[in-house]
Amino acid sequence: MDWRDEGALLSVRGHGESAAIIEVFTAGHGRHAGVVRGGASRRLAPVLQPGAQIDVTWRGRLEEHIGTFTVEPLRSRTGLLGDRLALAGLNSVCALLRFALPEREAHPGLYAASVALLDRLGAEPDWVLSYLRWELLLLEDLGYGLDLGSCAVTGSREDLAYVSPKSGRAVARAAAGEWADRLLPLPACLLGQGGATPEELGQGLRLTGHFLEHHLAHDLGTRPLPEARRRFVQMLGRQG
């Protein structure tokens, strides 16, 4: 069994004296693990950094085996090492993909958006907003999408200001009434209304974080959300 694909490197861990086990998010084969012989060597270790874009060839005796990867670097993202917030964003993306994606299941739309986001980190002024929208896409792609198109109560598309923490549907300001304090604020930046202030970004990440934690993670079992996401949100809050 063998195939070739391109992907973003999500994680690396040592295996034996000189090998490494890597996880890659690929376009056609989803999140996939494999052994890289010599992965801990001086030649390959600098290439095998989380976030790197690599060309991989996988081989295994049987499809269900972990198999081995042959790796060729395409582009490195080590330039983010000088930008602590962007590096934290990269670590959060990689950790959430490892946490949320089932193994060996293709998610081509999410893959394309993830690679585009990794390329954007630290390189564009509004990359944090792109990250926030990526978390919305992650939820949607895995079946936990929010319905922000109209009010769940009135059907109106005007003055949407909240989201139901249970249903994920938007609620108009006037329709919220005395229930407003039980709803999650919906920042305008998630409705396609221009850029985002630090306050709006914080509201947006609290919104996506609620559904990541209380819906997605809840259904996956007892594992908490990755620590890398918490660190990124905290760092962003300090900068805001």
Side-chain angles (χ1 to χ4, degrees):
M1 302 292 296
D2 65 276
W3 51 261
R4 182 178 178 182
D5 207 343
E6 177 181 331
L9 181 58
L10 301 182
S11 70
V12 184
R13 68 180 188 272
H15 181 67
E17 293 186 3
S18 61
I21 295 177
I22 66 171
E23 282 187 286
V24 185
F25 183 26
T26 65
H29 299 84
R31 179 173 69 89
H32 207 293
V35 176
V36 179
R37 297 190 176 97
S41 67
R42 291 184 178 181
R43 182 180 71 86
L44 283 179
V47 172
L48 299 180
Q49 298 296 320
Q53 197 71 14
I54 53 179
D55 182 283
V56 293
T57 300
W58 181 86
R59 292 183 176 87
R61 286 184 58 197
L62 297 173
E63 186 176 352
E64 61 268 24
H65 287 180
I66 187 171
T68 61
F69 276 131
T70 303
V71 176
E72 294 293 335
L74 296 176
R75 61 184 180 276
S76 167
R77 296 187 172 98
T78 55
L80 297 181
L81 292 174
D83 185 332
R84 292 181 66 246
L85 184 62
L87 181 60
L90 181 148
N91 289 334
S92 183
V93 170
C94 292
L96 281 172
L97 288 170
R98 289 187 66 213
F99 175 82
L101 291 182
E103 288 189 276
R104 305 187 180 193
E105 181 180 287
H107 291 262
L110 179 62
Y111 170 79
S114 299
V115 171
L117 174 61
L118 291 173
D119 287 338
R120 199 171 292 135
L121 294 175
E124 298 181 4
D126 63 346
W127 70 263
V128 178
L129 178 55
S130 297
Y131 173 93
L132 173 58
R133 289 173 174 160
W134 174 84
E135 286 199 346
L136 275 182
L137 178 62
L138 175 66
L139 287 165
E140 180 179 353
D141 205 72
L142 294 173
Y144 299 87
L146 308 187
D147 183 354
L148 307 180
S150 61
C151 175
V153 180
T154 67
S156 171
R157 296 177 179 272
E158 302 299 322
D159 199 24
L160 301 177
Y162 302 99
V163 175
S164 164
K166 292 185 178 180
S167 70
R169 294 196 62 188
V171 179
R173 194 180 312 275
E178 62 183 18
W179 296 92
D181 60 349
R182 302 186 187 184
L183 303 174
L184 299 166
L186 172 59
C189 63
L190 289 184
L191 299 173
Q193 299 174 14
T197 65
E199 180 182 6
E200 288 178 327
L201 291 172
Q203 288 178 339
L205 287 168
R206 284 190 291 275
L207 175 63
T208 53
H210 172 85
F211 288 94
L212 287 169
E213 180 177 0
H214 296 286
H215 293 254
L216 173 62
H218 176 270
D219 289 350
L220 290 177
T222 59
R223 293 181 299 157
L225 284 181
E227 180 68 14
R229 184 190 186 271
R230 186 189 66 81
R231 287 196 297 267
F232 170 62
V233 173
Q234 283 189 338
M235 189 178 298
L236 183 64
R238 289 195 296 268
Q239 293 202 0

